Amino acid sequence: MTASTSKATARTSSEARAVARTQTLIKGENGIGTVRRTTLPGGLRVVTETLPSVRSATFGIWAHVGSRDETPALNGATHYLEHLLFKGTHTRSALDISSVIDAVGGEMNAFTAKEYTCYYARVLDTDLPLAIDVVCDMLTGSLIREEDVDVERGAILEEIAMTEDDPGDCVHDLFAHTMLGDTPLGRPVLGTVDTVNALTADRIRRFYKKHYDPTHLVVAAAGNVDHHKVVRQVRAAFEKAGAFKRPDAGPIAPRDGSRTIRTAGRVELLGRKTEQAHVVLGMPGLARTDERRWALGVLNTALGGGMSSRLFQEVREKRGLAYSVYSYTSGFADCGLFGVYAGCRPSQVHDVLKICRDELDQVAEHGLSDDEIGRAVGQLRGSTVLGLEDTGALMNRIGKSELCWGEQMSVDDMLTRIASVTPDEVREVARDILGQRPSLSVIGPLKDKQASRLHEAVA
């Protein structure tokens, strides 16, 4: 075989791999709720869910990058970049981006998490081509100019200040640090004043080029949408921007890993002159791919997920010690957190913590009753469906599922999986999770004597 023949064969093989592949992942009744995926040459995935009965559509692009992908010096870069992508492209100014969506009554926004970032627009179905063009332009053609970095730095510092002024929000960042320490998952998504001040346009630009490759992106659209039209419009927008630099590249795989959180009995107190003490008592949870997550969801709902939950009844209804008290779970690719939050008067903090700890120990040792589990299953099934009643929520579901799991699950399958959780599974996960020694994070005006007693809650 000659060299020229070899090159021609390689080129033909590359072109063969560069064919768009479309699959129907969930087949809806009469096309309603049908979820399709097309993988374009260059690794870009496009997933859609069709709902012909609505008059809106939500279009989003998910990036496989979050604050856990940052080095200590880059802490806050992912969120900073989220702001900068709204500041202008080669064809649109910041005003053009916002005004064109405002002019059709649409909504546009973005959010950054520890493992992903999402940019989206919700519009009338007839304006979907406009939303696709604008959001794709932002993701592929951002200028990231020095002057925009300087201007947006002030806005981000104000956002950090606003978060720090809300201790009920800030305590969750403190809890992540308590549990995960000075690691990418333990650091705040927003970054710190020092790291944000140190970030330069050049460093953010390099971060952008590394993480916003089509192989790292998932496009998601839900509502009154036509899958093939969405694919054509997205492909045209990315080709126009010259984004497909490696036609034979495949999509990046979902994150995996085997991180183990070994923190136990750790206490962190942040003194603040607040009216309430804000506390999170918690322990390691489950990774988002762990099959026990369904049982943990039922446990979390029964323990602190509503007005009939144990924690709400014991802390608020019976004793009136807190206005807000709840439990929650956070699942990452390789680990997770389980926490109980309460906001109360500083003088009541030890009573609240004792009740919460007693309930955790009680459920770990004896489990929940069948009635509690049955009620929690019903509540979780209902809230799952009610939480998917708009196109924005549907777009979030299919986009996140594709990025984080690489697969889709129908709502009916989700409801079946929740309903199949057995009392024994809930009791087993309660022993495994709640039986661990907890750690504690507190923000509030606690005096020295009160602070010294905090270790009692994790003993």
Side-chain angles (χ1 to χ4, degrees):
M1 183 182 291
T2 65
S4 59
T5 304
S6 177
K7 289 179 181 176
T9 303
R11 187 164 54 249
T12 302
S13 175
S14 175
E15 288 169 355
R17 289 196 302 271
V19 174
R21 304 184 305 277
T22 299
Q23 300 166 278
T24 298
L25 306 177
I26 299 172
K27 189 170 178 57
E29 227 177 286
N30 300 319
I32 299 172
T34 296
V35 177
R36 295 184 177 90
R37 175 210 293 138
T38 293
T39 304
L40 293 171
L44 182 68
R45 286 163 288 174
V46 182
V47 291
T48 65
E49 181 165 358
T50 306
L51 285 174
S53 61
V54 301
R55 285 299 315 275
S56 69
T58 300
F59 177 83
I61 300 183
W62 291 72
H64 190 278
V65 58
S67 59
R68 79 171 299 174
D69 298 295
E70 302 163 352
T71 63
L74 283 172
N75 185 211
T78 313
H79 174 256
Y80 210 139
L81 186 55
E82 175 211 311
H83 280 240
L84 292 172
L85 263 59
F86 285 86
K87 299 299 284 185
T89 70
H90 295 286
T91 58
R92 289 183 174 91
S93 67
L95 179 59
D96 291 335
I97 290 171
S98 58
S99 63
V100 73
I101 297 296
D102 285 347
V104 297
E107 305 167 1
M108 194 174 191
N109 213 330
F111 56 85
T112 304
K114 291 184 184 287
E115 296 189 317
Y116 47 78
T117 311
C118 178
Y119 305 79
Y120 64 93
R122 183 168 181 252
V123 293
L124 294 176
D125 51 5
T126 52
D127 296 315
L128 181 59
L130 173 66
I132 293 174
D133 189 48
V134 172
V135 178
C136 288
D137 186 27
M138 288 169 52
L139 268 287
T140 60
S142 179
L143 297 175
I144 312 181
R145 294 171 297 206
E146 190 83 44
E147 57 267 32
D148 292 330
V149 173
D150 291 339
V151 168
E152 210 57 29
R153 193 188 316 277
I156 293 169
L157 292 174
E158 289 299 325
E159 189 173 355
I160 291 173
M162 182 174 67
T163 301
E164 291 180 346
D165 278 346
D166 183 354
D169 187 14
C170 194
V171 72
H172 297 292
D173 281 343
L174 182 63
F175 179 60
H177 184 269
T178 302
M179 295 296 295
L180 295 154
D182 188 24
T183 66
L185 279 176
R187 297 182 198 117
V189 171
L190 299 182
T192 66
V193 171
D194 288 341
T195 60
V196 168
N197 276 325
L199 287 169
T200 64
D202 185 55
R203 298 179 79 178
I204 296 172
R205 213 176 284 120
R206 288 199 301 269
F207 193 80
Y208 168 60
K209 289 179 180 178
K210 178 180 178 181
H211 293 286
Y212 279 72
D213 179 274
T215 62
H216 288 65
L217 303 177
V218 168
V219 173
N224 190 16
V225 303
D226 180 289
H227 178 80
H228 298 293
K229 286 183 180 178
V230 171
V231 170
R232 285 197 298 270
Q233 291 161 6
V234 169
R235 186 170 191 168
F238 272 72
E239 286 177 344
K240 180 181 176 182
F244 296 125
K245 294 181 174 61
R246 297 179 294 151
D248 59 343
I252 191 171
R255 295 178 193 269
D256 59 11
S258 56
R259 176 188 296 270
T260 301
I261 306 174
R262 295 186 174 87
T263 301
R266 193 161 176 225
V267 176
E268 279 195 280
L269 167 64
L270 185 59
R272 290 278 180 83
K273 292 182 179 179
T274 55
E275 292 299 316
Q276 284 189 311
H278 299 265
V279 303
V280 176
L281 180 71
M283 57 276 293
L286 300 177
R288 63 166 170 259
T289 54
D290 194 310
E291 274 304 306
R292 296 174 296 165
R293 68 187 184 275
W294 304 101
L296 181 60
V298 173
L299 171 65
N300 177 57
T301 301
L303 190 60
M307 292 176 65
S308 64
S309 67
R310 280 209 181 188
L311 290 170
F312 191 93
Q313 286 294 313
E314 293 298 325
V315 175
R316 177 170 167 172
E317 287 296 298
K318 292 182 181 179
R319 297 173 176 85
L321 294 176
Y323 177 77
S324 179
V325 56
Y326 58 85
S327 62
Y328 66 96
T329 65
S330 298
F332 306 111
D334 48 7
C335 64
L337 299 175
F338 179 89
V340 172
Y341 164 84
C344 61
R345 284 176 293 168
S347 61
Q348 308 282 13
V349 68
H350 298 294
D351 292 336
V352 169
L353 285 172
K354 185 178 185 310
I355 295 166
C356 291
R357 179 65 193 274
D358 287 347
E359 287 302 317
L360 295 180
D361 291 345
Q362 176 77 7
V363 175
E365 185 176 355
H366 302 290
L368 296 163
S369 69
D370 288 354
D371 285 345
E372 287 177 301
I373 292 171
R375 188 166 61 242
V377 166
Q379 182 182 341
L380 192 55
R381 293 178 82 246
S383 63
T384 297
V385 174
L386 294 177
L388 294 172
E389 288 288 286
D390 67 76
T391 60
L394 293 173
M395 186 281 293
N396 281 337
R397 181 175 72 89
I398 62 173
K400 184 177 178 181
S401 293
E402 184 64 35
L403 194 74
C404 296
W405 285 276
E407 59 185 29
Q408 300 288 333
M409 179 179 281
S410 70
V411 175
D412 286 342
D413 287 344
M414 291 170 64
L415 296 180
T416 299
R417 188 64 189 85
I418 294 169
S420 70
V421 171
T422 66
D424 284 343
E425 288 175 331
V426 177
R427 289 166 190 142
E428 182 180 350
V429 82
R431 284 194 301 271
D432 291 345
I433 301 301
L434 305 184
Q436 303 172 99
R437 186 181 176 190
S439 289
L440 174 65
S441 303
V442 181
I443 295 179
L446 299 189
K447 295 180 169 44
D448 291 343
K449 187 175 180 181
Q450 291 174 300
S452 66
R453 288 183 55 201
L454 291 177
H455 289 271
E456 296 173 7
V458 299

